[in-house]
Amino acid sequence: MPDRVTEAILRHLEHNGRLSNAELAEKVGLSPSACLRRVRMLEQQGTIQGYRAVIARQKSTVVATIIVQITLEKQTEECLRRFESRIKECADVKECYLMTGDADYLLRVEARDMQDYERIHKEELSRMPGVVRIQSNFAIRPVVQQGKCS
């Protein structure tokens, strides 16, 4: 269980991953060297898995975010493993979650346009092992993006 300082480090880095170590140390009340040791430890433990840039949607080639629900023919360990192994190879799938409820998986897919999504649907998603149903929902615009820096 993380202590308050670790929670503060994670919260600040989640909000702004570009904080300098000195700025972060000041915000969480540690010396720069102690703060750096904590951050390195969190990276080595896998708590901090990386840093990323959040690209403005209108400035990138990606113009469509599609939320896709996938239903598999069976929910056996083997069927789930085969699907998960293949979905990890699909570069257009940015996130994939194993779900409870009606669908087995929820995906966040990014595409350049409708034709690009049609390609992803036909050549990638519909060919995934065990898939019996694909339901696609196009996002109009983001309302909340927690990982976005202000």
Side-chain angles (χ1 to χ4, degrees):
M1 185 86 151
D3 62 20
R4 288 183 198 203
V5 173
T6 299
E7 287 176 356
I9 288 171
L10 295 173
R11 189 175 51 255
H12 285 293
L13 287 177
E14 186 174 45
H15 179 72
N16 182 359
R18 292 183 55 116
L19 278 175
S20 71
N21 183 62
E23 291 170 315
L24 181 60
E26 184 178 324
K27 288 180 181 287
V28 300
L30 290 176
S31 69
S33 61
C35 185
L36 186 59
R37 277 193 303 277
R38 289 260 191 139
V39 170
R40 295 286 184 253
M41 179 189 69
L42 291 166
E43 290 170 344
Q44 289 170 355
Q45 291 173 340
T47 303
I48 297 175
Q49 296 181 344
Y51 302 89
R52 66 183 178 102
V54 178
I55 309 299
R57 191 171 171 183
Q58 62 271 26
K59 304 233 187 248
S60 83
T61 59
V62 173
V63 295
T65 298
I66 305 96
I67 305 302
V68 181
Q69 295 178 24
I70 300 284
T71 304
L72 301 179
E73 61 185 336
K74 301 185 260 184
Q75 292 182 335
T76 64
E77 251 337 282
E78 177 63 17
C79 196
L80 297 175
R81 186 194 60 71
R82 285 179 43 232
F83 175 82
E84 290 175 13
S85 177
R86 283 283 306 284
I87 202 71
K88 290 174 183 176
E89 297 171 7
C90 186
D92 299 301
V93 175
K94 303 305 177 187
E95 296 178 72
C96 175
Y97 300 92
L98 177 62
M99 303 297 292
T100 62
D102 293 334
D104 295 315
Y105 290 93
L106 184 72
L107 315 177
R108 182 174 63 85
V109 175
E110 292 182 350
R112 291 184 304 278
D113 51 32
M114 285 291 246
Q115 290 82 7
D116 189 36
Y117 182 67
E118 183 178 11
R119 174 196 59 80
I120 295 164
H121 187 283
K122 283 181 179 177
E123 297 176 12
E124 300 285 344
L125 301 179
S126 64
R127 294 181 182 176
M128 293 284 162
V131 170
V132 293
R133 184 168 181 261
I134 301 171
Q135 181 178 336
S136 305
N137 300 281
F138 281 74
I140 296 170
R141 66 178 165 84
V143 176
V144 175
Q145 290 181 304
Q146 291 295 335
K148 190 173 183 180
C149 301
S150 36

